[in-house]
Amino acid sequence: MPIDKSMHVLIVDDYKTMLRIIRNLLKQIEFNNVEEASDGADALAKLRAGSFGLVISDWNMQPMTGLQLLQEVRADARLKTTPFIMVTAESKAENVVAAKQAGVSNYIVKPFNAETLRDKIEKVLGHG
Amino acid sequence: MVSPFAGTGAEALAQRLSEIRARYPATEPEWVADVVRAVLAALEGETAPPDRALLAEVEALGRIIANAKAEIAALQMDDITAAHIPFATDELDAIVAHTAAATEAILESCETLDTVAEGLAGPDAAKLQDATTRIYEACSFQDITGQRITKVVATLKAIETKVAQIVTAFGTRPASAASASALLGEETGLLNGPQLPAAAMGQSDIDRLLASFD
């Protein structure tokens, strides 16, 4: 079954330039139904209010980090199965381990390219 | 500053020391040296050589502290926290702001190119889209450099805190800055930002690590 590219995708980053870049890269791989959140708390509110098929989140944000957002998502009965990709400059092994233990679906280290983004999305959505 | 110590009688000295402790909780090092000199003079002939040697060392220590304080004052360390570090952090903030503005302008132009590409067909459209993709990817430098600069600013603030602590320890200025580590949250150990290339894990390393959980 092909990937449903009309799915609602939430991108989370406190750096508006990065949101713009990810949104454009998603557009180029035909994901056009994209919503933005500027931090973990904003993202959690949007996730609880809406219906999203994928979350792509930065880690290093204040006041709620991407890891805390992931933990909240996994602890929420309605959201816990939502695919969650961490896109971050945090590239230490302990970060990857912590994210995995918190239930991350995949992990992309910045700087990344469009091909990596496409590849990880396909893997997370079961087409990789 | 005139030392409040005068006279060499033991009882008088004890009385004066009590008064000074009550009046001046933060005692000048040179006063300590004065007291020791006075005690040495008062006990001349009544103390054993080891005692005198010890007291002489205490006096010398007082002089060392006084000299160190004078040298630190001469270094004008207050300038570091009052001018140099704020200047450096302001400059770094300006770099982040300028590169952010430039990146936004690049992205805006790139989005215009994307719109143009949507009206094209064939290899030219693909070529144009490939070019804009490379530009989007490259623009993520701004996020990475921004995080690196944030780390440098945090380091400068930590230096500022340490300098303030030194200045405070030598009694020239009250402490104002909180410990840098105390300002960080619970995830301190995991919020390291971008690593230098030699120390960083690449995407393939991360993929392998993630796969090891499966």
Side-chain angles (χ1 to χ4, degrees):
Chain A
M1 191 194 300
I3 293 174
D4 174 16
K5 292 190 172 179
S6 67
M7 72 165 57
H8 206 183
V9 179
L10 182 66
I11 54 176
V12 192
D13 203 305
D14 57 355
Y15 229 50
K16 67 173 185 174
T17 305
M18 206 62 219
L19 286 173
R20 196 167 177 176
I21 290 168
I22 295 174
R23 174 187 280 278
N24 279 305
L25 289 174
L26 286 171
K27 186 181 172 190
Q28 294 203 333
I29 55 175
E30 297 168 3
F31 284 89
N32 291 302
N33 190 8
V34 177
E35 192 162 344
E36 299 176 359
S38 58
D39 62 56
D42 183 25
L44 196 58
K46 284 178 173 164
L47 283 165
R48 285 179 173 152
S51 178
F52 292 86
L54 174 65
V55 179
I56 299 174
S57 176
D58 183 31
W59 182 317
N60 199 340
M61 301 178 289
Q62 294 292 336
M64 183 189 285
T65 67
L67 184 65
Q68 290 168 331
L69 171 64
L70 172 60
Q71 289 164 341
E72 291 284 344
V73 166
R74 291 296 177 247
D76 187 303
R78 191 176 73 81
L79 302 174
K80 65 182 178 185
T81 58
T82 308
F84 193 115
I85 298 176
M86 194 77 85
V87 181
T88 176
E90 303 291 348
S91 62
K92 288 192 169 180
E94 54 260 42
N95 289 87
V96 182
V97 171
K100 187 64 185 177
Q101 287 172 342
V104 80
S105 308
N106 218 312
Y107 196 104
I108 298 176
V109 64
K110 293 176 184 174
F112 62 95
N113 58 36
E115 191 51 43
T116 299
L117 182 63
R118 183 205 310 268
D119 178 58
K120 300 309 175 195
I121 290 173
E122 286 178 353
K123 279 191 166 67
V124 161
L125 299 178
H127 296 268
Chain B
M1 186 180 297
V2 178
S3 170
F5 297 99
T8 56
E11 285 185 13
L13 277 171
Q15 175 65 29
R16 284 177 183 169
L17 279 171
S18 295
E19 289 171 6
I20 293 300
R21 265 199 303 273
R23 287 169 55 196
Y24 305 101
T27 310
E28 290 288 322
E30 190 54 37
W31 295 359
V32 176
D34 286 349
V35 169
V36 173
R37 276 194 292 274
V39 170
L40 280 172
L43 298 179
E44 192 65 45
E46 295 178 22
T47 53
D51 294 336
R52 284 198 295 276
L54 180 62
L55 289 168
E57 283 183 23
V58 172
E59 182 191 11
L61 190 59
R63 286 182 193 282
I64 289 168
I65 293 170
N67 288 340
K69 184 178 175 182
E71 286 169 12
I72 288 171
L75 287 173
Q76 295 183 307
M77 291 180 77
D78 277 354
D79 283 356
I80 295 173
T81 54
H84 298 312
I85 289 179
F87 173 78
T89 55
D90 286 351
E91 288 294 306
L92 291 171
D93 286 343
I95 289 170
V96 171
H98 286 305
T99 55
T103 307
E104 288 290 322
I106 292 167
L107 288 173
E108 200 167 325
S109 297
C110 203
E111 286 163 2
T112 302
L113 290 174
D114 265 345
T115 307
V116 172
E118 285 168 11
L120 299 175
D124 285 346
K127 211 183 282 183
L128 193 53
Q129 194 193 42
D130 188 53
T132 56
T133 300
R134 300 286 88 80
I135 295 170
Y136 290 135
E137 291 168 358
C139 282
S140 67
F141 87 92
Q142 214 268 320
D143 182 31
I144 303 294
T145 54
Q147 290 192 46
R148 288 196 188 284
I149 288 173
T150 300
K151 286 169 74 174
V152 173
V153 169
T155 302
L156 287 172
K157 288 189 183 302
I159 293 169
E160 184 180 24
T161 301
K162 294 292 180 192
V163 170
Q165 286 171 347
I166 291 170
V167 170
T168 301
F170 282 88
T172 55
R173 169 172 170 268
S176 59
S179 162
S181 59
L183 297 174
L184 298 173
E186 291 178 357
E187 281 178 39
T188 302
L190 293 173
L191 296 175
N192 302 296
Q195 301 299 298
L196 291 171
M201 286 212 308
Q203 185 64 50
S204 56
D205 299 319
I206 286 169
D207 289 347
R208 272 194 295 277
L209 181 56
L210 278 177
S212 72
F213 285 89
D214 299 333

